[in-house]
Amino acid sequence: MVRDQKTSPQRLGGLVVGNYCHDVLIRDGVVVGETLGGAVAFISAVLDGISIPYNLVSKVGPDFAYTTCRSPIVIPTSRTTLFHAHFDSDVDGNGNGDRVLKRVTVCDPIRASDLDTESKFGFGMAVGVGGEIKPETLERMVDVCDLVLVDIQALIREFDEDGTVKLVGLKESGFFHLLPRLGFLKASEEEAVYMDVEEVRQMCCVVVTHGKEGCNVYWKDGELEIKPFEANQVDPTGAGDSFLGGFVAGLVHGLLVPDAALVGNLFGSLTVAQIGLPKFDSRLLQRVKDEVQRRKLQFTTSHERQDDELRFVKPAGHEQFHASLDAAKVIPTCIPQECQWDLPSPPPRAVEKAILPQYAGQPKLVLNSIYEEKLHTVEDKP
């Protein structure tokens, strides 16, 4: 469960663990964009935007195509994890079809020995997407972090022979015995069916996200519903990751769990309104930080005296805090043309060939060597 307030995540910086990825976005069989991916990319965008200090442990291959604020570990003999995200416009009427994820290449796992055991961290985030986090890695994280938050996708994802992502039950994942040592376990509503929420909530706090419906927080003796923020969804990729980043940012700034979950919902809504890795307006970020600071000051004295149970109760002014965060979204968060299925600032052509070597020399027709499926580039659209 959440540890004593004396070891709250405000005391030290954080440790974020998970591999960067190359993401290829494919709508109706057509490649429409390539972007930096992996949960750590989305979480870093939020934590950096809200000025949360943290260390990052991530592995990539020498083909890694992007510049990041925190350098990953480069494995000379490996390739960067690559995902194809297939979207089908016909799944629903508004063109926001569900994803089918396929892992094309995979980088080395992150092992316990890759973590800094000499330091102690206020919080840790286990946020793998390609099976890179192992049970012994998570166990080392709970040893060196006061509070550990885990995205369930890091625990229950497995992969078919063709790389298609599939999910297994949490009890069969090899991580179940570590749940009593976790602070929070986050899952989407689709992932939540792979665990018994009633059972897991007795061991750690569970947060289940519901997209445009907000989220629910479950703990041993209760549950609560957290309101969403409206969003024009164009790409669901990374929404849960941004939620988790915002949630952690709220906790680090001293907010109670319900208020921190509002910050998470806010960043989730901002992320789905953009394609790929979001770009947050600096003015919006400053307004969010100001509102969070004001909210923290309202409870500085009383918060220190609250026990673990009271940290989950919606405090007075919760609805007003939602309204103030909602008002911050009035500032434009992206240039309109960036909110199309046409990613801004794609990698150079030489880098594209490194990411997608099977595309090289075939600008009009792409043959995926792993799936044996034909993929057209966006220029082929009539």
Side-chain angles (χ1 to χ4, degrees), residues 197-198 201 216-225 309 312:
V197 173
E198 292 302 315
R201 71 194 288 185
N216 286 79
V217 180
Y218 302 88
W219 67 99
K220 185 175 182 180
D221 300 312
E223 63 185 78
L224 54 85
E225 181 178 340
E309 175 68 18
F312 292 91

Side-chain angles (χ1 to χ4, degrees), residues 200-242:
V200 175
R201 71 194 288 185
Q202 303 302 314
M203 294 179 274
C204 66
C205 179
V206 177
V207 181
V208 179
T209 58
H210 301 284
K212 64 181 181 180
E213 303 300 326
C215 69
N216 286 79
V217 180
Y218 302 88
W219 67 99
K220 185 175 182 180
D221 300 312
E223 63 185 78
L224 54 85
E225 181 178 340
I226 306 297
K227 288 176 58 176
F229 294 85
E230 290 187 4
N232 177 27
Q233 177 173 304
V234 294
D235 179 13
T237 305
D241 307 322
S242 292

Side-chain angles (χ1 to χ4, degrees), residues 300-320:
T300 298
T301 304
S302 59
H303 188 177
E304 293 175 352
R305 298 196 299 265
Q306 289 179 340
D307 59 26
D308 190 68
E309 175 68 18
L310 292 178
R311 294 179 64 233
F312 292 91
V313 177
K314 285 185 180 179
H318 179 79
E319 295 298 326
Q320 289 82 354

Side-chain angles (χ1 to χ4, degrees), residues 53-64:
Y54 65 97
N55 288 1
L56 180 86
V57 179
S58 182
K59 291 184 177 180
V60 299
D63 61 333
F64 187 56

Side-chain angles (χ1 to χ4, degrees), residues 11-322:
R11 187 169 63 87
L12 298 169
L15 175 65
V16 181
V17 179
N19 284 347
Y20 284 118
C21 303
H22 293 150
D23 283 352
V24 178
L25 309 179
I26 303 166
R27 181 177 287 279
D28 302 327
V30 176
V31 177
V32 294
E34 299 144 25
T35 182
L36 174 64
V40 294
F42 291 86
I43 289 170
S44 295
V46 176
L47 297 184
D48 289 336
I50 303 297
S51 304
I52 302 297
Y54 65 97
N55 288 1
L56 180 86
V57 179
S58 182
K59 291 184 177 180
V60 299
D63 61 333
F64 187 56
Y66 298 91
T67 300
T68 56
C69 293
R70 287 165 175 77
S71 298
I73 301 169
V74 178
I75 307 300
T77 57
S78 184
R79 295 182 62 190
T80 301
T81 299
L82 167 63
F83 278 95
H84 283 185
H86 295 262
F87 296 84
D88 186 353
S89 298
D90 294 331
V91 171
D92 60 27
N94 59 14
N96 296 326
D98 290 341
R99 292 185 307 167
V100 174
L101 283 178
K102 292 186 177 183
R103 188 184 68 179
V104 183
T105 61
V106 59
C107 196
D108 284 8
I110 299 173
R111 306 191 184 279
S113 58
D114 295 315
L115 306 184
D116 178 5
T117 58
E118 300 299 319
S119 301
K120 294 293 183 180
F121 302 93
F123 69 91
M125 302 178 72
V127 289
V129 294
E132 65 266 31
I133 294 179
K134 304 302 178 184
E136 58 269 23
T137 311
L138 182 57
E139 187 167 11
R140 181 65 58 85
M141 290 183 68
V142 299
D143 288 338
V144 300
C145 301
D146 287 345
L147 176 72
V148 174
L149 306 94
V150 178
D151 193 319
I152 197 172
Q153 68 181 354
L155 313 183
I156 65 172
R157 276 189 176 184
E158 291 189 354
F159 304 88
D160 289 337
E161 289 185 3
D162 70 348
T164 300
V165 175
K166 65 177 183 179
L167 304 179
V168 300
L170 184 57
K171 280 191 172 180
E172 291 76 50
S173 67
F175 293 89
F176 194 80
H177 66 287
L178 293 171
L179 295 184
R181 302 182 66 187
L182 304 183
F184 293 88
L185 179 66
K186 191 232 75 170
S188 68
E189 59 183 346
E190 294 82 11
E191 295 165 333
V193 300
Y194 291 88
M195 66 174 162
D196 184 341
V197 173
E198 292 302 315
E199 179 182 16
V200 175
R201 71 194 288 185
Q202 303 302 314
M203 294 179 274
C204 66
C205 179
V206 177
V207 181
V208 179
T209 58
H210 301 284
K212 64 181 181 180
E213 303 300 326
C215 69
N216 286 79
V217 180
Y218 302 88
W219 67 99
K220 185 175 182 180
D221 300 312
E223 63 185 78
L224 54 85
E225 181 178 340
I226 306 297
K227 288 176 58 176
F229 294 85
E230 290 187 4
N232 177 27
Q233 177 173 304
V234 294
D235 179 13
T237 305
D241 307 322
S242 292
F243 166 87
L244 195 55
F247 181 62
V248 168
L251 294 178
V252 171
H253 278 290
L255 299 186
L256 302 184
V257 171
D259 287 347
L262 277 182
V263 180
N265 282 349
L266 173 70
F267 279 99
S269 71
L270 294 172
T271 296
V272 300
Q274 303 185 47
I275 302 300
L277 194 65
K279 295 182 179 180
F280 302 120
D281 189 287
S282 60
R283 297 165 298 169
L284 179 147
L285 291 172
Q286 187 58 54
R287 288 185 63 175
V288 170
K289 286 192 283 188
D290 291 343
E291 294 297 339
V292 168
Q293 184 64 22
R294 276 193 285 269
R295 186 64 173 158
K296 174 186 176 181
L297 291 176
Q298 294 177 9
F299 297 98
T300 298
T301 304
S302 59
H303 188 177
E304 293 175 352
R305 298 196 299 265
Q306 289 179 340
D307 59 26
D308 190 68
E309 175 68 18
L310 292 178
R311 294 179 64 233
F312 292 91
V313 177
K314 285 185 180 179
H318 179 79
E319 295 298 326
Q320 289 82 354
F321 184 50
H322 179 280

